[in-house]
């Protein structure tokens, strides 16, 4: 099976502008393609997984990826899928986030010897002359067509700023610049980016002629992929300082039964034949499929050693071995104690098992909290400082959220 056919079989391709030509180019390793990443945080999250894995697959097949960091467009903000205007970022914040992205992307993509490029669109966007840009690019965009785009229609009732209205033009101009500078002949993006991507393809053809080879392709469910990065307690980051390898493993171990095979196909590099065999699995066998998914993705992001530790920690915990060193831990400070003790609500909030004291109260009142295997039903329950010495206490919220709490 060639790479394009594999992408289709894995459920990654949603729409293309010229399937036969794209298939030929990708299968022959002649695609120079880009995917954009807006630097809105100092870490990538699991919602970026699909794009990163796609770039890795295509590079392994001989194609050349360009990771476009939106240092310029990040100062405007993409209105797609949003109901309010994005918070404005300073150039310093954007630059810091871009540097963080580079480090994380290098685990997926080989940037050595020109095999891939990392480019910041601030290089051409920040120096543009407004009047010249309007004259050069403006005539190629119909306001009527832009207003019909789904990314703008969603915001019209709430209010769409002129700043955000420019995003489509800027993203389209990115493709044009990448085409001229690096021979980029293809762009990939989520299904929520389709209108913006078509704008880039059309701009190249209008300015350089209809024979210009500029292809557009979208990834199936990429907007759902972005939602993958969010949980009730916040984002699931690729940065181990934000989301520990154990928590990362647990996130994927806990995916729904209906999603596990889809995630295995889209996000892992396991052979499709092996995944197809799992289609026959039922009941408790699906738990094994989830363990495989969690291990493979944790290995991809954090390395095999950390993946093994996370897997061992999870198995030890569920087997009753709560003292495993591989379970995530949180250290309490001396200042966290009042008169040598700390209450259960503060513990849950401090160690991140609850986002607030009110949420912690609900967890306790609903019977979902235990300490060292003993249920805690009293919201005023407190624990002495001495109890956290040594191996500490294992605090559990619900069936799948754990933390070993120790004294620093």
């Amino acid at each position: 099976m060639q790479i394009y056919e594999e992408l289709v079989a894995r459920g990654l391709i949603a729409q293309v502008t010229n399937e036969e030509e794209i298939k030929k180019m990708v299968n022959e390793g002649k695609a120079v393609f880009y995917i954009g990443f807006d630097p809105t945080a100092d870490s990538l999250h699991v919602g970026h997984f699909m794009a990163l894995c796609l770039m890795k697959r295509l590079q392994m097949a001989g194609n050349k990826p360009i990771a476009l960091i939106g240092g310029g467009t990040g100062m405007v903000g993409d209105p797609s899928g949003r109901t309010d205007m994005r918070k404005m970022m300073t150039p310093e914040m954007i630059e810091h986030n871009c540097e963080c992205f580079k480090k994380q992307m290098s685990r997926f993509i080989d940037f050595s010897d020109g095999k891939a490029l990392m480019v910041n669109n601030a290089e051409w966007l920040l120096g543009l002359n407004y009047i010249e840009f309007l004259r050069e690019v403006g005539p190629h965009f119909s306001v009527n067509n832009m207003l019909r785009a789904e990314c703008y229609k969603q915001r019209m009732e709430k209010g769409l700023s002129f700043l955000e209205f420019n995003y489509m033009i800027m993203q389209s101009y990115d493709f044009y610049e990448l085409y001229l500078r690096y021979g980029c002949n293809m762009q990939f993006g989520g299904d929520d980016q389709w209108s913006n991507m078509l704008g880039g393809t059309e701009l190249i053809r209008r300015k350089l002629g209809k024979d210009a080879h500029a292809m557009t392709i979208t990834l199936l469910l990429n907007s759902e992929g972005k939602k993958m990065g969010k949980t009730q307690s916040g984002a699931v980051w690729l940065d181990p300082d934000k989301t520990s390898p154990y928590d990362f493993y647990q996130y994927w171990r806990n995916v729904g039964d209906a999603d596990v095979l889809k995630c295995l196909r889209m996000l892992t590099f396991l052979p499709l034949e092996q995944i197809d065999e799992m289609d026959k699995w039922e009941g408790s066998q699906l738990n094994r499929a989830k363990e495989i998914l969690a291990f493979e993705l944790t290995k991809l992001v954090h390395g095999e050693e950390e993946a093994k530790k996370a897997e061992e920690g999870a198995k030890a915990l569920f087997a009753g071995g709560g003292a495993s060193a591989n379970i995530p831990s949180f250290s309490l400070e001396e200042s966290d104690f009042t008169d040598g003790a700390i209450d259960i609500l503060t513990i849950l909030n401090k160690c991140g098992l609850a986002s607030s004291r009110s949420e912690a109260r609900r967890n306790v009142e609903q019977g979902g909290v235990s300490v060292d295997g003993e249920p805690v039903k009293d919201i005023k329950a407190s624990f002495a400082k001495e109890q956290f010495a040594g191996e500490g206490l294992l605090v559990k919220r619900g069936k799948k959220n754990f933390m070993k709490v120790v004294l620093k």
Side-chain angles (χ1 to χ4, degrees):
M1 185 185 295
Q2 292 185 285
I3 183 61
Y4 184 84
E5 286 73 16
E6 181 180 349
L7 297 180
V8 172
R10 288 183 180 273
L12 288 166
I13 305 300
Q15 300 178 80
V16 297
T17 53
N18 187 328
E19 185 170 44
E20 287 307 310
E21 193 164 0
I22 288 173
K23 182 192 302 184
K24 183 175 186 295
M25 194 177 295
V26 167
N27 285 342
E28 293 178 357
K30 295 180 180 178
V32 180
F33 68 97
Y34 95 89
I35 298 180
F37 298 82
D38 272 345
T40 53
D42 60 1
S43 172
L44 298 167
H45 57 68
V46 299
H48 295 112
F49 237 155
M50 196 178 296
L52 293 169
C53 291
L54 177 78
M55 295 174 85
K56 184 177 177 71
R57 291 183 208 280
L58 288 170
Q59 186 181 50
M60 290 168 65
N63 299 283
K64 184 174 182 177
I66 299 176
L68 180 66
I69 307 297
T73 43
M75 300 188 75
V76 174
D78 181 5
S80 298
R82 297 183 61 85
T83 59
D84 57 355
M85 185 171 170
R86 178 178 288 159
K87 180 182 177 182
M88 297 293 287
M89 301 174 68
T90 66
E92 292 76 18
M93 292 167 62
I94 291 173
E95 180 62 26
H96 171 72
N97 294 349
C98 289
E99 289 299 320
C100 294
F101 280 17
K102 287 181 184 179
K103 183 178 179 181
Q104 293 178 349
M105 286 182 181
S106 294
R107 293 196 68 95
F108 294 81
I109 305 163
D110 181 4
F111 289 99
S112 67
D113 304 321
K115 296 174 186 173
L117 297 174
M118 183 168 291
V119 181
N120 189 333
N121 63 14
E123 291 179 22
W124 53 83
L125 290 179
L126 297 189
L128 286 173
N129 178 287
Y130 186 61
I131 298 299
E132 289 180 4
F133 182 70
L134 285 179
R135 288 176 60 86
E136 182 181 355
V137 178
H140 302 294
F141 287 84
S142 162
V143 172
N144 291 348
N145 288 340
M146 291 173 71
L147 290 174
R148 283 194 287 269
E150 193 62 34
C151 61
Y152 289 143
K153 284 165 62 177
Q154 295 173 3
R155 287 290 308 279
M156 290 301 289
E157 292 184 9
K158 293 280 185 178
L160 177 70
S161 73
F162 183 70
L163 176 71
E164 295 168 296
F165 188 64
N166 280 268
Y167 190 90
M168 180 188 291
I169 300 176
M170 294 173 72
Q171 182 173 329
S172 299
Y173 189 73
D174 281 345
F175 193 17
Y176 174 70
E177 283 288 337
L178 290 170
Y179 183 93
L180 293 179
R181 293 177 182 228
Y182 306 106
C184 180
N185 51 31
M186 196 175 298
Q187 58 178 334
F188 284 74
D191 51 0
D192 57 341
Q193 295 290 313
W194 184 243
S195 297
N196 295 347
M197 295 165 65
L198 288 178
T201 298
E202 186 63 22
L203 177 61
I204 290 174
R205 290 177 177 168
R206 282 175 175 265
K207 291 190 66 64
L208 303 177
K210 293 184 179 179
D211 292 333
H213 287 278
M215 304 298 166
T216 301
I217 200 164
T218 72
L219 309 183
L220 180 64
L221 300 175
N222 201 33
S223 56
E224 283 192 22
K226 291 178 181 178
K227 295 173 188 175
M228 281 184 193
K230 299 290 184 180
T231 66
Q232 291 181 350
S233 58
V236 178
W237 304 101
L238 306 194
D239 183 344
D241 292 332
K242 289 178 173 287
T243 299
S244 71
Y246 178 87
D247 288 335
F248 189 86
Y249 177 95
Q250 284 294 90
Y251 173 81
W252 294 108
R253 171 63 181 80
N254 294 331
V255 299
D257 290 355
D259 294 327
V260 60
L261 289 175
K262 179 172 67 177
C263 289
L264 280 164
R265 286 192 177 93
M266 290 182 168
L267 304 178
T268 75
F269 289 79
L270 295 175
L272 280 169
E273 295 80 8
Q274 181 180 346
I275 300 171
D276 289 342
E277 281 297 312
M278 297 182 197
D279 263 329
K280 306 169 186 175
W281 292 6
E282 297 178 351
S284 61
Q285 287 181 303
L286 286 176
N287 288 329
R288 177 57 188 148
K290 294 177 186 180
E291 290 172 352
I292 293 171
L293 172 68
F295 181 83
E296 290 297 322
L297 297 188
T298 306
K299 180 175 71 172
L300 188 61
V301 174
H302 299 295
E304 187 165 5
E305 183 179 351
E306 290 296 333
K308 287 179 178 178
K309 287 181 182 178
E311 183 178 56
E312 290 167 4
K315 288 181 177 179
L317 188 59
F318 281 98
S324 170
N326 296 322
I327 296 170
S329 65
F330 179 84
S331 298
L332 292 171
E333 306 277 352
E334 291 281 348
S335 59
D336 292 327
F337 295 87
T338 302
D339 296 329
I342 185 171
D343 67 88
I344 187 62
L345 302 187
T346 302
I347 293 172
L348 292 168
N349 188 208
K350 285 277 186 183
C351 72
L353 290 175
S355 60
S356 64
R357 285 182 64 86
S358 58
E359 182 184 347
R361 177 190 290 266
R362 288 196 299 274
N363 295 150
V364 173
E365 290 176 340
Q366 292 169 4
V369 175
S370 67
V371 175
D372 271 3
E374 292 296 323
V376 178
K377 300 180 180 180
D378 183 0
I379 60 172
K380 295 181 180 179
S382 64
F383 299 84
K385 182 170 62 176
E386 293 75 19
Q387 293 177 265
F388 299 94
E391 292 186 353
L393 298 176
L394 181 66
V395 182
K396 177 180 176 182
R397 178 183 64 80
K399 295 181 179 179
K400 302 172 182 177
N401 300 286
F402 308 87
M403 188 70 67
K404 184 164 59 177
V405 184
V406 299
L407 181 63
K408 189 172 183 178

